[in-house]
Every structure is written in C-alpha cells, then in structure tokens.
Amino acid sequence: MSKILDGKTAVVFGVANKRSIAWGIAQAWAQAGAKLIFNYQGDRLKENVEELAATFGADTPVAPCDVSRDEDITRFFAFVKSKTSRVDLLLHSVAFAPKEALEGVFLDTSREAFRVAHDISAYSLVAVTRSAVPLMTHGGSVVTMSYYGAEKVVPHYNVMGVAKAALEASVRYLAYDLGPKKIRVNAISAGPVNTLAARGISGFSAMLTHYEQHAPLKRNITLEELGAMGVFLASDGGAGVTGQTLYVDSGYSVMGM
Ligand code: NAD
Ligand code: 0WE
C-alpha cells in the first residue's frame, strides 16, 4: 500500500535519545514512508543516535553536526549529498541556552548567553535551511520547534523565549524567500514534553500538572501528536501552509485565564 511520504527523503536535526521530539517526528515520517538522514551533536550522542537510526535499517545515514560551527554544517551537507540526490523534508529540533540563563531573571542575561541562545536556537535554522535548499530541487517542507514562551512571559524561560521569538520571525522570512522554490517553512509550538532538554529545569513537572489542570484538553501532549502534525506539514495536507506557527499544546495558548 502506498504511504503519504513515500519517495521523500528527510534530514533530521536534534535527536538525542528516544524521548526527543525529533525522534517522535522522525518515527512518524518513517512510518509514513520517508527515508531519513540524522545528525548528532557530538561524540557523547553518537552511539545513541546510531542505535536509534539503525531501527530504520542498518544503512540509515548518520553524521555529526554541531550547528554552531559553519564547517560542521558544510561537512554534514556534503555527507547528505553523498547519500541522496534530493532532500524533501528538513526537521530542525535544536535549542540551547546556558543553564544559568534559564535559572535567574531575564534582566541578568549576559551578552554571551544571549549570543549562544540565539546562535544555536534561531540562527541555526537559517544556516541549515540554506544548506538544504540546493538539494530541495522538487520543493520541500522545513519544520522547526517552538514554544509559547516566544510570545508570552513564561517565568525562567527568559532568553530562550526571546530566541524562540527570533526563530518564529525567521520562519516567516524564510517562508517568503523560499516560497518561489515551493519550499514551505513552518514552526510547531509544542506544549511541555518531558525530554532531556526539559529535565533538570526546576518546576518542570509542576508545568506538566498545570497543563493537565488548565489546558482545554486537560492533559499533556504526546510525541505521537507532534509526529502527526509533522506528517501533516510534510505532506500535501499542508501544501498551502507556510510561514506559520502551529500549536500542538492541548489548546493551552487560547486561554486568557
Ligand atoms: P532534546 O534534548 O531531546 O533535543 C534537543 C536537541 O538539541 C538535542 O538533540 C541536542 O543534541 C541538540 N543540540 C543542542 N545544541 C546543539 C548544537 N550546538 N548542535 C547540534 N545540536 C544541538 O529536547 P527536546 O525537548 O526534544 O527539544 C527539541 C526542540 O523542541 C527544541 O527546539 C526545544 O526548544 C523544542 N521544544 C521543547 C519542548 C519541551 O517541553 N521539551 C516544548 C516546546 C518546544
Ligand atoms: O525549549 C525548551 C528548553 C530548551 C533548553 C533546555 C536546556 C536545559 C539544559 C535550552 N537550553 C538548555 N540548557 C541547558 O543547560 N523548552 C520549551 C522546555 C522548557 O524549558 C523551560 C521551560 C520549558 C517549557 C525553562 C524554563 C521554563 C519553562
């Protein structure tokens, strides 16, 4: 039986382990018929990602890429080009701010923490998209991950909220630049998910409980639901959708109180 993403090739940035949002979306893309190529950030995550990627076949391509390094991005896309003549889908599921910037108050954000957060969490979308475009010869779909702290104050999200605002604005400008090439660019704004990036954030389990109590759906979201939105944006279902931020947040963002 034919599947909705049959014949598509996807590049996936941001798998750290099986709880990663990138892993949830990658699995949904694979189940819908896409072939996948993965990055990993550094040696610490190499084995993890290689093991997960191998569940789609031992020949699933995996290569290192630290998105804060232009040389890495260049080398990574040369690797991608050696494995496929075409890329259709790009997932950017990467963010980082120095831990101290997520603990105190936004007012105390250092110049360096501001720079790092914006470099890794926002600029990297522009950099990896630019490298993917020459391979997206039949059009494509670029998907990145955002969070509600981009538009409303979420205590302690701090500089990450400002970086996500830059990311969502970057999505709009990229959508404008790439529309003529039939490449769509969108963000999924996810409710809280218990991942590596969320663990160690004090008060995170209280946030999960808060969503259960206050979101319209009275529960938290799942990786499967993020995967389903990822498939929608990757498929012709999303053919007329670009430049948008779509919420997979149990409806939390519509509440005023
Ligand atoms: P995760 O820790 O599983 O994924 C974050 C990924 O970013 C990791 O794979 C890490 O290796 C990668 N990364 C960080 N710095 C990098 C660098 N310099 N080069 C290459 N890769 C780098 O956590 P996650 O929650 O799956 O996060 C994925 C995305 O989802 C992030 O953009 C995050 O802001 C967003 N998001 C998360 C939540 C949540 O509650 N977990 C909610 C909304 C949005
Ligand atoms: O985007 C995120 C978190 C991204 C993140 C996580 C870390 C933890 C480890 C970025 N940088 C770092 N740096 C580290 O050193 N989320 C949407 C999850 C998240 O993080 C929060 C949240 C939510 C939700 C931080 C404070 C308040 C809410």
Side-chain angles (χ1 to χ4, degrees):
M1 211 191 67
S2 78
K3 289 182 269 181
I4 203 164
L5 300 182
D6 274 347
K8 308 260 189 214
T9 299
V11 174
V12 174
F13 280 89
V15 175
N17 57 40
K18 67 178 196 315
R19 309 177 91 152
S20 294
I21 289 172
W23 182 241
I25 294 175
Q27 278 182 297
W29 280 1
Q31 273 161 26
K35 294 259 173 285
L36 306 178
I37 301 173
F38 293 92
N39 94 311
Y40 59 89
Q41 183 187 352
D43 286 340
R44 204 168 40 85
L45 295 173
K46 180 174 199 264
E47 279 186 32
N48 248 349
V49 179
E50 282 178 348
E51 203 177 303
L52 288 170
T55 64
F56 303 125
D59 57 345
T60 305
V62 177
C65 183
D66 180 327
V67 299
S68 68
R69 299 164 58 101
D70 287 333
E71 331 68 277
D72 275 33
I73 295 175
T74 301
R75 199 172 351 101
F76 179 78
F77 277 95
F79 171 79
V80 170
K81 200 174 171 182
S82 76
K83 298 291 176 186
T84 180
S85 57
R86 196 175 107 196
V87 169
D88 306 284
L89 312 174
L90 175 64
L91 176 64
H92 173 277
S93 183
V94 169
F96 181 79
K99 190 157 180 55
E100 66 273 13
L102 302 175
E103 288 171 344
V105 296
F106 176 66
L107 182 63
D108 286 339
T109 307
S110 68
R111 189 185 296 274
E112 180 61 7
F114 191 101
R115 185 194 68 73
V116 167
H118 283 72
D119 184 18
I120 297 176
S121 313
Y123 178 73
S124 67
L125 173 70
V126 185
V128 300
T129 300
R130 187 168 55 244
S131 289
V133 162
L135 293 167
M136 290 183 148
T137 49
H138 290 54
S141 176
V142 178
V143 177
T144 186
M145 297 307 306
S146 194
Y147 174 63
Y148 193 45
E151 49 185 292
K152 299 289 182 191
V153 173
V154 175
H156 304 299
Y157 198 60
N158 294 356
V159 73
M160 271 306 308
V162 180
K164 290 298 192 190
L167 179 74
E168 292 181 8
S170 300
V171 162
R172 293 187 280 272
Y173 280 90
L174 290 171
Y176 175 71
D177 285 352
L178 298 175
K181 295 186 190 295
K182 298 187 168 36
I183 299 170
R184 297 180 291 103
V185 186
N186 293 286
I188 300 174
S189 184
V193 185
N194 204 353
T195 63
L196 189 62
R199 216 170 308 149
I201 283 157
S202 71
F204 193 79
S205 48
M207 193 170 307
L208 293 172
T209 311
H210 184 81
Y211 270 64
E212 283 176 12
Q213 288 166 345
H214 299 285
L217 294 179
K218 299 288 182 277
R219 61 174 179 80
N220 282 288
I221 60 148
T222 64
L223 284 186
E224 288 72 25
E225 289 164 345
L226 291 172
M229 179 62 91
V231 169
F232 165 75
L233 288 173
S235 71
D236 282 346
V241 181
T242 194
Q244 301 297 324
T245 299
L246 295 100
Y247 295 83
V248 179
D249 68 345
S250 302
Y252 185 82
S253 57
V254 308
M255 301 303 295
M257 202 186 143

